[in-house]
Amino acid sequence: MTSPESRKLIIQVPCYNEEESLRATLQALPRSVSGFDIVEILVIDDGSRDATAKIARECGVEHLVSFGHNQGLAKAFMAGVEASLIAGADVIVNTDADNQYAASSIEDLVRPIVDGTAQIVVGARPIAEVREFSFLKKLLQWIGSAVVRLASGTQVPDAPSGFRAFHRDAAMRFYVFGNYTYTLETIIQAGRKNIPITSVPIRVNPVARPSRLVKSSASYVYRSVLSILRIFVLYKPLRFFLVAGTVFLVPGTALGIRFIYLYVTGDGSGHVQSLILAAVLILTAIIVYAVGLLSDLTAANRALLEDVRMRMLRREILHRQGRQA
């Protein structure tokens, strides 16, 4: 265990079948970073079927977390965060195994945390300059980031970026519920929990291989839309269902008023179908509003569970570190 005066940085690298690029990625990572006495590397092997774990050991990483089967990027990310906290990390940097993010930018990434101006820092890629990104992908990156800024109240320009740094206190406070990716959800949680978050420009390396998360443009669009909808349902449920319910309430009310007008003027007998449709739409709106209220109560309960989880994790970390002392 390190002394209380020492500051430890752990760089975590989630991996899934990364034997071709992992060695170069690990060799590029710095072993000395300004503001830290100790820099260690943690690799999360997410059920790889190749030599990923073997290469990690050969490169001398201090920590290796291995899953028996593939569980997805979000689970691998959270497992790495918890393992890093238990290993005594004061700050955690997450980077990709494909060497997309320039390791030399880690100094820039952690500086706001070292200076005490932020607890989460997201690396903003020069997306407009990345030639390997299609126009559609750049557009979806921009839309997704805009939606996250709206939902979180933060000003992160590149929300899908996986190159980010977390202070220990911030890392203990969030939990990713999704299975696909963690990038958007952690920013939303930071905004909801008033965790100081900022962004810094970073450098990137040429894309070495296609993304493992993005199988095709159609798949990327589909998953992006689902992620955005899920963000609003999870973290802004009342607002989401109020809007959804109003979509049914407005035409239902309009049809109802139209029927009443026709009935008063003596022409209502031939428009009973309008009354039925109006009733169906208004009833649907009421049901959607009720779902919104229940979802809002569920969100409040989830916040309490997140707080309980944070306290239990903190206690476990202190317990394990005490046994290692």
Side-chain angles (χ1 to χ4, degrees):
M1 183 177 177
T2 60
S3 66
E5 295 80 13
S6 300
R7 296 197 70 187
K8 180 187 287 190
L9 170 68
I10 292 184
I11 305 170
Q12 69 170 42
V13 188
C15 301
Y16 178 59
N17 294 334
E18 298 286 2
E19 64 179 3
E20 294 182 3
S21 60
L22 183 58
R23 191 181 301 276
T25 299
L26 295 178
Q27 291 175 347
L29 295 178
R31 284 301 191 163
S32 176
V33 176
S34 178
F36 297 93
D37 304 288
I38 301 169
V39 177
E40 296 179 350
I41 298 173
L42 181 147
V43 168
I44 308 101
D45 175 21
D46 186 16
S48 298
R49 298 186 299 273
D50 62 5
T52 292
K54 177 183 178 183
I55 291 173
R57 295 189 190 95
E58 291 175 353
C59 291
V61 302
E62 286 79 5
H63 311 279
L64 177 62
V65 176
S66 293
F67 293 161
H69 61 278
N70 180 251
Q71 297 189 32
L73 179 58
K75 296 295 184 184
F77 169 79
M78 283 307 304
V81 168
E82 293 189 6
S84 296
L85 290 171
I86 291 172
D90 295 290
V91 176
I92 303 165
V93 165
N94 185 85
T95 189
D96 285 356
D98 62 0
N99 206 27
Q100 173 190 169
Y101 305 110
S104 58
S105 291
I106 289 179
E107 288 271 4
D108 300 325
L109 194 68
V110 300
R111 188 169 297 118
I113 297 179
V114 173
D115 294 340
T117 59
Q119 289 193 347
I120 299 178
V121 185
V122 180
R125 297 165 292 180
I127 292 178
E129 302 172 13
V130 181
R131 291 178 294 179
E132 292 87 353
F133 285 5
S134 67
F135 172 78
L136 177 61
K137 184 171 183 178
K138 291 178 181 179
L139 178 62
L140 288 171
Q141 296 270 12
W142 183 86
I143 293 174
S145 295
V147 170
V148 171
R149 288 196 295 271
L150 177 64
S152 66
T154 65
Q155 296 300 319
V156 176
D158 186 11
S161 171
F163 193 46
R164 47 186 67 189
F166 303 90
H167 187 277
R168 174 188 59 215
D169 294 341
M172 280 193 282
R173 294 181 62 188
F174 61 73
Y175 182 81
V176 178
F177 292 91
N179 294 321
Y180 179 54
T181 184
Y182 59 89
T183 54
L184 309 184
E185 200 167 334
T186 49
I187 296 175
I188 298 289
Q189 291 191 28
R192 287 177 62 247
K193 298 175 181 180
N194 295 317
I195 301 174
I197 182 171
T198 190
S199 180
V200 298
I202 52 114
R203 296 169 293 280
V204 295
N205 297 316
V207 176
R209 59 160 175 77
S211 171
R212 296 278 168 80
L213 288 178
V214 182
K215 305 301 182 184
S216 65
S217 294
S219 172
Y220 186 74
V221 171
Y222 174 73
R223 288 185 175 275
S224 296
V225 170
L226 283 185
S227 295
I228 290 170
L229 288 176
R230 187 173 178 278
I231 283 170
F232 273 105
V233 172
L234 271 177
Y235 297 106
K236 300 287 184 179
L238 191 58
R239 180 184 299 181
F240 177 85
F241 286 105
L242 281 176
V243 172
T246 303
V247 170
F248 294 99
L249 182 65
V250 170
T253 303
L255 284 171
I257 293 173
R258 175 177 177 271
F259 176 81
I260 292 172
Y261 171 78
L262 292 173
Y263 182 81
V264 170
T265 58
D267 192 26
S269 60
H271 300 277
V272 177
Q273 65 272 22
S274 295
L275 179 62
I276 295 174
L277 181 57
V280 170
L281 290 173
I282 292 173
L283 181 60
T284 301
I286 293 172
I287 293 173
V288 172
Y289 288 149
V291 171
L293 290 173
L294 292 174
S295 298
D296 194 54
L297 293 174
T298 302
N301 185 60
R302 186 174 62 246
L304 291 175
L305 291 175
E306 289 174 2
D307 185 66
V308 171
R309 174 191 170 276
M310 179 195 70
R311 294 174 186 274
M312 293 180 65
L313 179 59
R314 181 178 293 161
R315 182 176 298 178
E316 180 182 1
I317 290 169
L318 293 174
H319 176 68
R320 294 200 183 190
Q321 290 180 350
R323 287 190 304 177
Q324 294 171 4

